[in-house]
Amino acid sequence: MKNTIKILGLIAIIMVSSLLIFATKTAPDNKENKKTDSDTNTSETYQIRALKIPSNLEFAGERVPIEKTGIKERIDRELLVNTYWQSNGLLLFKRAHKYFPIIEPILEKNGIPDDFKYLAVIESGLQNVTSPAGAKGFWQIMSSTAKENGLEVNSNVDERYHLEKATQVACDYLNAAKERFGNWTMAAAAYNAGNAGMSRRINDQKVDNYYDLLLVSETSRYLPRIVAVKEILSNPNKYGFIFDKEDLYALEATKTIKVDTAITNIAVFSKDLGINYKILKTHNPWLRENKLNNKSRKLYEIKVPTEL
């Protein structure tokens, strides 16, 4: 009996020891098996989706032929770039809400299709920027073009920064280009490449359709960029841009003060109006110095906040 008990005890010890050894070998090592952030697939937290290209894209009433060689790829590129550059996209929505109400009626008055407001978006991001070539303002107008169209451009006054006047110059240029090339798509391309440049390419290549021309990269991307920005800004939810109306920028209401004399010190002039230099220059970026020379006694219209 005692021997039997000893044998059974020995067997029990062996079995328990085997289980402990097996458990030691197979037990998960928390350190080795714990899923860290570096092991997480990006797709579990963030997805980058390919975009479906709409089949009915158009610019100024003119259909975009996405079935043509390369056109679909060029549209796809611009849709991807402008959709997934999210911070810039949101800023465009915000600025468009502020400045489109100024641009739209001027386009309409001049018979320019409303879609051309998106040309200003891709030219400048709706900011008073300067290009490496020296083009300035929302519409990126060169000094020579501005002067030819009646804008004042010098170190004291630069009306390329006057949104209403610059928009009018852009309208005049576009109407002339439409008359010359026959359609709005070519007029838009000419805004980028110049009338002479487009004429040379038409003569050299023996085609007169923008989508059939072999153009430099910038002009080749120009219409697809406009079309893509139009598509995104017209359909924010479709492209994942979520915002409330109060998130958008609004233009401060202003009134106009007419001046036909020199202003020797704009900072003092502003203070006399009950505002400061910063506020006056913000509403009148075409004033480039702290003075207005006005030797010719020209009539200028200066914007100031309405509450004054």
Side-chain angles (χ1 to χ4, degrees), residues 143-157:
S143 177
S144 56
T145 303
K147 292 175 181 178
E148 288 169 7
N149 287 272
L151 295 187
E152 183 178 352
V153 178
N154 53 58
S155 61
N156 187 235
V157 169

Side-chain angles (χ1 to χ4, degrees), residues 89-120:
L90 274 173
L91 286 170
L92 294 183
F93 280 105
K94 291 169 179 280
R95 295 181 194 134
H97 185 263
K98 183 177 184 178
Y99 294 113
F100 276 0
I102 296 175
I103 294 171
E104 289 167 344
I106 301 173
L107 296 177
E108 183 179 11
K109 182 185 72 174
N110 286 274
I112 303 293
D114 188 67
D115 283 355
F116 276 90
K117 65 192 180 188
Y118 301 108
L119 185 150

Side-chain angles (χ1 to χ4, degrees), residues 124-277:
S124 64
L126 300 178
Q127 299 178 95
N128 277 317
V129 295
T130 300
S131 78
K136 296 180 184 292
F138 278 41
W139 292 94
Q140 289 293 275
I141 301 171
M142 295 296 289
S143 177
S144 56
T145 303
K147 292 175 181 178
E148 288 169 7
N149 287 272
L151 295 187
E152 183 178 352
V153 178
N154 53 58
S155 61
N156 187 235
V157 169
D158 192 338
E159 291 183 325
R160 291 177 292 176
Y161 294 113
H162 191 299
L163 180 53
E164 291 87 344
K165 291 185 178 183
T167 303
Q168 182 61 53
V169 168
C171 288
D172 293 342
Y173 187 97
L174 292 166
N175 270 324
K178 165 66 160 52
E179 182 68 23
R180 181 169 181 170
F181 297 110
N183 62 65
W184 290 116
T185 299
M186 286 291 286
Y191 195 90
N192 176 256
N195 288 334
M198 291 303 294
S199 292
R200 282 195 302 272
R201 287 162 179 79
I202 288 170
N203 291 333
D204 291 345
Q205 299 179 34
K206 311 305 179 189
V207 293
D208 59 2
N209 185 306
Y210 168 80
Y211 297 106
D212 291 329
L213 285 167
L214 179 63
L215 301 163
V216 297
S217 176
E218 183 181 346
T219 310
S220 179
R221 291 184 63 184
Y222 201 67
L223 260 296
R225 285 182 68 201
I226 297 174
V227 170
V229 168
K230 172 192 172 184
E231 168 68 12
I232 294 167
L233 292 186
S234 300
N235 303 284
N237 290 341
K238 179 179 176 181
Y239 293 94
F241 290 96
I242 309 300
F243 51 83
D244 297 319
K245 188 173 181 180
E246 57 265 29
D247 298 325
L248 305 177
Y249 301 153
L251 199 67
E252 184 179 7
T254 59
K255 62 183 179 181
T256 298
I257 294 177
K258 295 183 178 181
V259 175
D260 62 359
T261 59
I263 301 175
T264 56
N265 189 307
I266 290 178
V268 173
F269 178 80
S270 303
K271 189 174 180 180
D272 290 342
L273 290 172
I275 56 176
N276 59 39
Y277 179 79

